[in-house]
Amino acid sequence: MKKCRFFVVFILLAFANMLCAGEGMWLPLLLKALNEEEMQSMGMKLTAEDIYSINKGSLKDAIVHFGGFCTSEIISDQGLLLTNHHCGYSAIQSHSSVENNLLKDGFWAKTNSDELANPGLFARFIDRMEDVTEKALMGVTDDLSSEERQSIIDKNLDAIKASYELSEFEDVIIRPFYHGNQYFSFVTVTYNDVRLVGTPPESIGKFGSDTDNWVWPRHTGDFALFRIYAGPNNEPANYSEANKPYNPKHSLPISLDGVEEGDFTLVFGFPGRTNQYLPSSAVEQIVETLNPAKISIRDSALKIIDGHMRADESVRIQYASKFARVANYWKKWIGESQGLVSTGAIAKKKKFEEEFLNKNADNPEIRSILPRFEKLYKANEEYAFTRDYYSEVASRNIELLSLTGIMNRLIDRYENNGRDDYNSYLQRVKGYLEGFYKNYRPEIDREVFASLAKMYVENVNPLYTPESLKVANRDMENFAKGLYSQSSFADPNKMMGILSLPPESAIEKIKTDPVFMLGTEWSNLIDAKVNAPYNRNKTQIDELQRKYMQAIIETFPKKRFYPDANSTMRISYGQVNGYQPRDGVTYMPVTYLNGVIEKYKPGDYEFDVHPKLIELSESKDFGEYADSNGDIPICFLGSNHTTGGNSGSPAIDAHGNLIGLNFDRVWEGTMSDINYDKSICRNIMVDARYVLFIVDKFAGAGHLIKEMKLVHPKAN
Ligand code: ARG
Ligand code: GLU
């Protein structure tokens, strides 16, 4: 009972104490209680009901979870879907070949029948959400162990799920919020026929590539267009030629009026994961131990790969996507650590903790949370470090070792379930390996192995190092040479040959392969000596985090607290804003086409510019898409709180119109996952007018523009 009450109280007192505008990823369902007033004071002309309603079409009906990993939005009454180029990347890549390279040249369907199907890609709507905390926590009392507690909750959640009547394409998802203090259910509707409609060439959609990734000033047209198709009654349906464009409950009109510093912005999407309520001891560990380890490993791997990519064009193509993936978070972590230090995040957390302790002066139980955290994080440090080190070295960066897990699963299938299951999994393994070897160079991987395995031996407690690797470290390069020449894993023909043998012989060959033996020895050691104690500590840490979250909310009843991101639908709001990355430097919030031309490096794989775009820029054939200064706006900055998963989220103006498309954050502010700081945390959006300009003037796809509703909200 008590638990339910404190949430009601905290909602009622919400406005007594405002957060700095910009911070927070809010639940659409609670906007009325928590945010509407502040949003309107910042210039928003909408009501909470216009944004999220279960009674009428509202903005939320245009917001779509794209494949479960990105956000997208509906921009026409024929189901036209806008998302990022980098979100559609693998779909675009899958339709590309050397003769018909959609990545390089772009693609624009002239009619519906030219649009390209993408098996496996789905578009998911949220029909409604509900607070189910009371039912989820029924029977849960304070004296339960965390296992007992979880088992009661699991049963409750099953019962809640069973109480929904759902049709074939509906589902219900229940997620914990506030670290297990609250539960919400989401009824989803999933469309499985999502087709590619249009994409600019990479030189626009990925302009600046890794050099500009996470960076302002930015000039990337990171967008692509898809379309949702539905069955005869506008219902979800599996792919069929007979399907028709989906007619949505709501689609976003697009503003032609652009943005100015200070304009209200709302970002609506599916942020993945944040950690806003960590104790200072945990943040310290990230800054001092975990991030530096992960960064240093990727440093080494990226240097080796980069050298080969620069020396050989075919390697560059093979490794481009891998390199981008590894470099993305490498760069993010560097920015995150620097931002945490430069804004004094740890000192800020410590100050907050002091206040928390003071306010709980007469509650020893609550006061004990922080020292207990400290002890647990200390106790877990070596395990957390080793886990990260192992995963970066053996699962994420040494490519051959990453195959060990897959082979172990294949063997398990045979040993536990028999031949049929083995054969069905084998098909998947073969498919995976085909893609793997297509973009694989053993001589590069061998160099990565030598460098990273050496780092592992030298930086990780020898207790967690396989014996064979300790011996190998006397001459790691030589060891790597032997390993890569003896292992069948390094040779696609040998590997595929083994997999075509009868299961018994194949398994025998796999089990005696030196890469498999090393990989398995290593992962078993980590499981037994690192993961087991890590998980025991982690369960206690999670339990403590739930209590800490509850105590924070009760200790500061006048403050609003937003739940950490968990891939559920959220709203962040802020303003168009530049920032000062360092002393003496101020960044403007908008970039223009002339900046694309400034960055232009003919022939460069990151900064080449398409001749047609140069021509348009010179002839100033901008139509109605130019800004008041006569140039085409490209990207703009906002103080909206976003994270991974918010890619493709719409940026919406005060009236509910689309003004841009979220795709990144600035490097200095990537720490916003842990500590949002208004001074440097900014999200980066493509200006909607650049999207329209490219579709209309660059691609000549005026028929798509005709589908959209273009508006002039500022004129009225
Ligand atoms: N930093 C952006 C996001 O996580 C964009 C990543 C894709 N672009 C790239 N160059 N890797 O994730
Ligand atoms: N590019 C990120 C994504 O793919 C969004 C940027 C961020 O992390 O804020 O979701």
Side-chain angles (χ1 to χ4, degrees):
M1 254 353 284
K2 187 167 153 252
K3 253 164 230 136
C4 293
R5 209 180 57 233
F6 87 72
F7 275 103
V8 174
V9 170
F10 113 78
I11 284 171
L12 289 178
L13 293 173
F15 295 105
N17 197 328
M18 298 286 187
L19 282 168
C20 52
E23 177 166 7
M25 301 172 172
W26 305 94
L27 276 160
L29 174 70
L30 300 179
L31 283 186
K32 176 106 196 131
L34 294 177
N35 313 94
E36 186 185 57
E37 190 178 314
E38 184 186 50
M39 293 167 94
Q40 290 173 344
S41 80
M42 289 166 67
M44 184 181 77
K45 305 291 181 219
L46 304 165
T47 63
E49 176 86 0
D50 295 330
I51 298 171
Y52 173 84
S53 170
I54 48 170
N55 304 313
K56 56 168 193 168
S58 55
L59 287 187
K60 80 118 170 65
D61 296 310
I63 314 303
V64 183
H65 211 170
F66 185 82
F69 52 87
C70 273
T71 307
S72 56
E73 51 278 350
I74 308 257
I75 54 167
S76 89
D77 58 7
Q78 295 160 57
L80 194 59
L81 204 56
L82 177 64
T83 189
N84 289 144
H85 181 271
H86 81 261
C87 296
Y89 199 85
S90 68
I92 300 166
Q93 187 177 36
S94 75
H95 298 293
S96 295
S97 60
V98 177
E99 306 78 52
N100 183 25
N101 194 341
L102 276 54
L103 285 171
K104 185 163 170 284
D105 303 326
F107 166 77
W108 306 95
K110 291 210 165 53
T111 63
N112 284 349
S113 60
D114 298 328
E115 297 173 0
L116 303 171
N118 301 288
L121 183 61
F122 62 82
R124 180 166 291 156
F125 291 85
I126 303 297
D127 182 65
R128 58 192 189 275
M129 55 191 87
E130 247 183 302
D131 185 344
V132 294
T133 310
E134 212 164 318
K135 287 184 205 152
L137 297 182
M138 201 153 57
V140 169
T141 48
D142 282 345
D143 53 333
L144 297 177
S145 73
S146 48
E147 291 78 18
E148 290 166 332
R149 182 187 152 91
Q150 200 50 53
S151 113
I152 295 181
I153 292 175
D154 288 343
K155 280 196 198 102
N156 289 344
L157 298 190
D158 285 343
I160 301 173
K161 279 190 191 159
S163 72
Y164 284 88
E165 263 183 51
L166 301 171
S167 62
E168 189 188 344
F169 294 96
E170 287 180 342
D171 196 7
V172 57
I173 299 171
I174 306 176
R175 290 274 163 80
F177 287 72
Y178 298 100
H179 296 275
N181 285 291
Q182 224 173 342
Y183 284 79
F184 284 88
S185 71
F186 299 80
V187 175
T188 65
V189 183
T190 302
Y191 286 77
N192 293 321
D193 188 352
V194 180
R195 304 187 195 168
L196 179 64
V197 173
T199 171
E202 264 184 310
S203 62
I204 290 172
K206 207 184 164 188
F207 183 71
S209 194
D210 292 305
T211 299
D212 268 9
N213 190 24
W214 302 111
V215 164
W216 188 260
R218 190 63 157 276
H219 298 85
T220 313
D222 195 346
F223 80 94
L225 292 166
F226 288 79
R227 191 187 304 282
I228 301 177
Y229 279 77
N233 304 315
N234 204 35
E235 296 290 305
N238 290 323
Y239 174 82
S240 155
E241 243 179 74
N243 286 346
K244 295 259 168 335
Y246 166 68
N247 178 232
K249 284 192 218 150
H250 186 72
S251 75
L252 297 176
I254 305 178
S255 165
L256 281 170
D257 290 348
V259 297
E260 279 168 81
E261 178 112 35
D263 278 359
F264 175 82
T265 53
L266 183 158
V267 172
F268 204 163
F270 294 87
R273 211 165 80 98
T274 59
N275 275 301
Q276 310 290 342
Y277 303 102
L278 290 176
S280 57
S281 43
V283 180
E284 240 159 354
Q285 194 169 87
I286 291 170
V287 175
E288 280 162 23
T289 309
L290 303 181
N291 274 359
K294 295 188 288 189
I295 292 164
S296 67
I297 296 164
R298 292 198 178 191
D299 260 339
S300 298
L302 288 169
K303 267 201 197 95
I304 294 168
I305 299 172
D306 185 59
H308 289 278
M309 282 171 73
R310 284 182 192 279
D312 181 339
E313 178 64 12
S314 65
V315 173
R316 196 190 68 68
I317 295 169
Q318 282 183 307
Y319 273 74
S321 155
K322 263 186 270 197
F323 187 90
R325 191 177 61 239
V326 176
N328 193 28
Y329 266 66
W330 165 78
K331 201 163 176 182
K332 191 215 147 177
W333 292 322
I334 298 174
E336 178 176 274
S337 287
Q338 288 189 5
L340 288 169
V341 171
S342 77
T343 56
I346 293 168
K348 236 162 59 186
K349 287 251 175 210
K350 286 201 163 133
K351 200 168 150 244
F352 172 82
E353 286 164 7
E354 211 180 285
E355 207 185 330
F356 174 81
L357 288 173
N358 287 339
K359 288 203 183 260
N360 287 293
D362 52 2
N363 193 334
E365 169 80 21
I366 296 288
R367 288 176 61 90
S368 76
I369 291 176
L370 288 166
R372 277 157 73 201
F373 260 136
E374 207 165 321
K375 241 175 93 189
L376 277 167
Y377 273 103
K378 269 265 136 34
N380 220 20
E381 180 154 301
E382 185 167 271
Y383 302 128
F385 170 82
T386 307
R387 242 172 90 87
D388 275 358
Y389 221 96
Y390 169 76
S391 123
E392 283 297 319
V393 168
S395 321
R396 294 180 200 275
N397 286 294
I398 299 178
E399 298 178 68
L400 269 201
L401 284 176
S402 73
L403 294 182
T404 313
I406 297 167
M407 292 304 156
N408 266 312
R409 281 193 288 282
L410 181 66
I411 296 171
D412 279 351
R413 293 289 176 116
Y414 182 74
E415 292 178 348
N416 298 328
N417 308 338
R419 223 169 236 272
D420 286 350
D421 199 35
Y422 172 92
N423 281 327
S424 87
Y425 194 64
L426 182 64
Q427 292 320 308
R428 281 171 55 192
V429 171
K430 282 184 173 164
Y432 175 81
L433 288 177
E434 229 165 80
F436 178 91
Y437 288 120
K438 195 171 141 227
N439 294 324
Y440 181 68
R441 295 286 184 117
E443 66 280 12
I444 299 177
D445 195 35
R446 193 185 69 206
E447 245 180 86
V448 172
F449 179 100
S451 160
L452 269 47
K454 194 171 179 59
M455 287 177 77
Y456 186 97
V457 177
E458 283 164 10
N459 291 296
V460 170
N461 186 331
L463 281 175
Y464 315 127
T465 306
E467 287 309 316
S468 55
L469 214 54
K470 288 182 197 164
V471 179
N473 200 39
R474 288 184 205 135
D475 185 349
M476 197 59 98
E477 268 168 46
N478 208 22
F479 176 80
K481 274 197 191 121
L483 185 68
Y484 278 66
S485 67
Q486 281 156 30
S487 172
S488 311
F489 284 33
D491 181 334
N493 294 328
K494 283 192 194 153
M495 188 75 226
M496 292 305 190
I498 289 177
L499 294 177
S500 61
L501 297 171
E504 296 78 12
S505 339
I507 289 175
E508 197 191 306
K509 287 234 183 316
I510 293 170
K511 281 187 171 172
T512 51
D513 187 279
V515 163
F516 181 84
M517 282 166 38
L518 172 62
T520 306
E521 181 191 0
W522 204 342
S523 73
N524 288 344
L525 185 65
I526 293 291
D527 274 343
K529 294 206 174 153
V530 178
N531 288 342
Y534 173 89
N535 289 333
R536 277 196 297 277
N537 285 328
K538 186 71 170 67
T539 306
Q540 291 187 53
I541 287 174
D542 291 345
E543 174 74 11
L544 206 54
Q545 186 72 51
R546 176 175 62 79
K547 293 191 172 138
Y548 184 44
M549 188 78 241
Q550 175 182 348
I552 289 177
I553 291 170
E554 287 176 326
T555 302
F556 302 97
K558 293 184 179 172
K559 277 195 183 156
R560 286 178 307 171
F561 295 96
Y562 55 94
D564 268 318
N566 56 1
S567 291
T568 59
M569 189 180 236
R570 302 294 179 90
I571 279 163
S572 1
Y573 51 94
Q575 279 156 331
V576 176
N577 254 173
Y579 70 110
Q580 288 191 291
R582 53 193 177 274
D583 187 39
V585 179
T586 300
Y587 280 150
M588 315 281 276
V590 184
T591 57
Y592 291 96
L593 188 55
N594 73 42
V596 174
I597 305 299
E598 271 175 22
K599 285 181 177 172
Y600 173 38
K601 281 192 215 156
D604 185 80
Y605 81 94
E606 298 192 301
F607 292 102
D608 205 359
V609 178
H610 197 286
K612 176 89 196 260
L613 191 58
I614 298 176
E615 194 187 302
L616 285 166
S617 155
E618 281 169 358
S619 67
K620 298 208 183 304
D621 181 9
F622 297 157
E624 51 184 340
Y625 310 119
D627 206 357
S628 52
N629 67 355
D631 201 355
I632 287 287
I634 308 285
C635 295
F636 63 97
L637 288 177
S639 56
N640 306 282
H641 195 176
T642 54
T643 189
N646 268 126
S647 274
S649 299
I652 294 171
D653 71 1
H655 308 272
N657 306 307
L658 186 84
I659 45 177
L661 182 61
N662 185 72
F663 71 102
D664 210 358
R665 276 175 289 170
V666 302
W667 192 57
E668 296 85 355
T670 55
M671 57 147 187
S672 65
D673 290 346
I674 295 171
N675 170 59
Y676 181 93
D677 188 304
K678 197 185 174 182
S679 69
I680 54 170
C681 292
R682 297 288 179 272
N683 65 316
I684 308 180
M685 296 156 276
V686 196
D687 196 300
R689 292 167 296 171
Y690 190 44
V691 173
L692 296 171
F693 168 74
I694 293 296
V695 172
D696 188 352
K697 297 288 179 177
F698 177 84
H703 60 288
L704 295 173
I705 303 280
K706 281 207 193 90
E707 269 185 51
M708 306 172 192
K709 188 175 168 202
L710 307 186
V711 295
H712 282 285
K714 287 189 176 174
N716 306 324

